[in-house]
Amino acid sequence: MDRAGSGRPLPSETRSVLLATAGLVLLLLALVLLSLLIGTGSSSVGGAWDYLVGDPAARANAQLRLAVMDVRLPRTLAAVLVGACLGTAGCLLQAATRNPLAETGLLGVNSGAAFAVVLGLTYFGASSSAALMVWALLGGMTASAVVLLLAASGRASGSPLRLVLVGSALGATFHGLTSYVLLGTQSTYDTYRYWTIGSLAGVETADLLPLLPLAALGLLVAFGSARPLSALGLGDDTARSLGHHPGRIRLIVAGAVSLLVGCAVAVAGPIAFLGLLAPYAARALTGARMAAQLVLSALIAADVMILADILARIVIRPWETPVSVLLAFVGGPLLVWIARSSRLSTAGAAA
């Protein structure tokens, strides 16, 4: 393939990124198909395949339709959405703070969502999955709005340290309030415990549709911030000399992160490690190119999320393992390996 018809071949690094992107997309499509074929129920893989290819007998089977279209398809779409949101958000946050250990819970979104879910369960009678999603989204967005307002005030407005400190302080406050409310309400604790472990079970297509515009807006802002973030990676002074405002960039990025993480938490509950690990893997493939990092982070996280959800259905079949538990089993040792890897540590520091 020539560059702009000039007859010159593409650089090897660009070819590597394009190949990695194509490979991840193909893997995602294969995992989507596998997710539609495999479930915790009694429906066979062969029956699900017959349904997907349009076999008349399979299409007439109400049980197969329920399993494939009403159970597996929504959670497959949810896995792709949650993974893409968390991967992109983690990449944004690490680039904006120039901290390779920055994690998507730093802005208080997870703890704000948890506190809102507890309030909804305890005082407003929220019990359905749709209601919990609404409360989680409202809580996450409210927490992030407070963090942004506090971080934007004062002389050091929008600095990475200020964002992290305010987010961590507010997250600890929400965590304490959540524990206080839970102490006196056993029934709330039982429901909250199920939500907070992180799972895609029970997600319906109708639950996802209202979140798609918010996720699309977050992704649009994320990719629109690629060039300013590349400048920011060279240092605040260099970014200013190129016409960018570091504080404003970080606040915009924090807003996009809040949208993306809020959508992910509303669908699946708090999911750890994914927004931390996917950007590392992306940087190992792309180097310092921000736009490529965002694309590959979203694809890697989506692939990992959907693979974890498939494994969650079969590890202890006929029961289901929370997807966050599987990610923690993999993410913990992998994080230790990353911390000991000079190559990835250097890649993270360069972001």
Side-chain angles (χ1 to χ4, degrees):
M1 181 177 180
D2 295 341
R3 186 195 304 176
S6 63
R8 291 178 295 174
L10 289 171
S12 59
E13 294 180 353
T14 302
R15 289 200 303 271
S16 298
V17 171
L18 291 176
L19 288 174
T21 302
L24 289 169
V25 170
L26 290 175
L27 177 60
L28 180 62
L29 294 176
L31 290 172
V32 166
L33 176 61
L34 196 61
S35 178
L36 294 175
L37 295 176
I38 297 176
T40 56
S42 59
S43 300
S44 67
V45 173
W49 173 259
D50 291 340
Y51 183 90
L52 291 175
V53 298
D55 181 81
R59 288 297 175 97
N61 189 321
Q63 183 180 3
L64 273 178
R65 175 175 176 80
L66 175 67
V68 175
M69 301 303 295
D70 297 337
V71 176
R72 298 176 193 171
L73 179 59
R75 69 185 297 168
T76 300
L77 297 176
V80 175
L81 175 67
V82 170
C85 285
L86 291 179
T88 305
C91 186
L92 285 175
L93 194 58
Q94 291 179 17
T97 61
R98 294 201 294 274
N99 180 1
L101 295 180
E103 198 264 336
T104 51
L106 281 180
L107 295 184
V109 179
N110 290 351
S111 55
F115 180 56
V117 165
V118 168
L119 290 181
L121 288 168
T122 305
Y123 302 112
F124 297 93
S127 58
S128 66
S129 60
L132 294 182
M133 287 177 64
V134 171
W135 278 98
L137 182 62
L138 290 175
M141 296 305 298
T142 301
S144 63
V146 173
V147 170
L148 292 179
L149 288 174
L150 293 176
S153 62
R155 296 178 57 187
S157 62
S159 70
L161 179 60
R162 191 181 184 91
L163 277 172
V164 171
L165 288 177
V166 172
S168 298
L170 194 65
T173 301
F174 279 133
H175 181 72
L177 292 173
T178 300
S179 300
Y180 173 78
V181 175
L182 287 174
L183 284 175
T185 52
Q186 181 64 37
S187 60
T188 297
Y189 178 74
D190 292 337
T191 307
Y192 169 77
R193 181 177 56 184
Y194 176 78
W195 175 83
T196 196
I197 58 176
S199 174
L200 295 173
V203 175
E204 299 179 359
T205 304
D207 299 331
L208 299 176
L209 293 179
L211 299 176
L212 292 180
L214 296 176
L217 177 59
L219 291 172
L220 185 63
V221 174
F223 287 99
S225 304
R227 185 180 295 273
L229 281 174
S230 297
L232 200 63
L234 301 174
D236 286 10
D237 292 337
T238 303
R240 290 190 188 95
S241 68
L242 294 174
H244 299 287
H245 191 292
R248 188 177 303 146
I249 294 170
R250 291 190 177 99
L251 292 177
I252 291 173
V253 165
V257 169
S258 302
L259 278 174
L260 295 169
V261 178
C263 291
V265 171
V267 173
I271 300 291
F273 291 112
L274 195 55
L276 176 64
L277 300 177
Y280 268 105
R283 281 194 296 272
L285 295 170
T286 68
R289 287 167 290 185
M290 196 63 222
Q293 283 184 36
L294 290 169
V295 172
L296 292 191
S297 292
L299 288 173
I300 290 170
D303 285 339
V304 172
M305 188 69 188
I306 198 169
L307 177 60
D309 186 50
I310 292 171
L311 293 175
R313 307 174 204 177
I314 62 177
V315 169
I316 55 173
R317 185 185 279 180
W319 297 278
E320 186 168 324
T321 306
V323 67
S324 62
V325 173
L326 292 176
L327 288 173
F329 272 121
V330 176
L334 192 56
L335 183 59
V336 173
W337 175 76
I338 285 174
R340 295 172 58 88
S341 171
S342 59
R343 178 186 174 188
L344 287 182
S345 297
T346 302

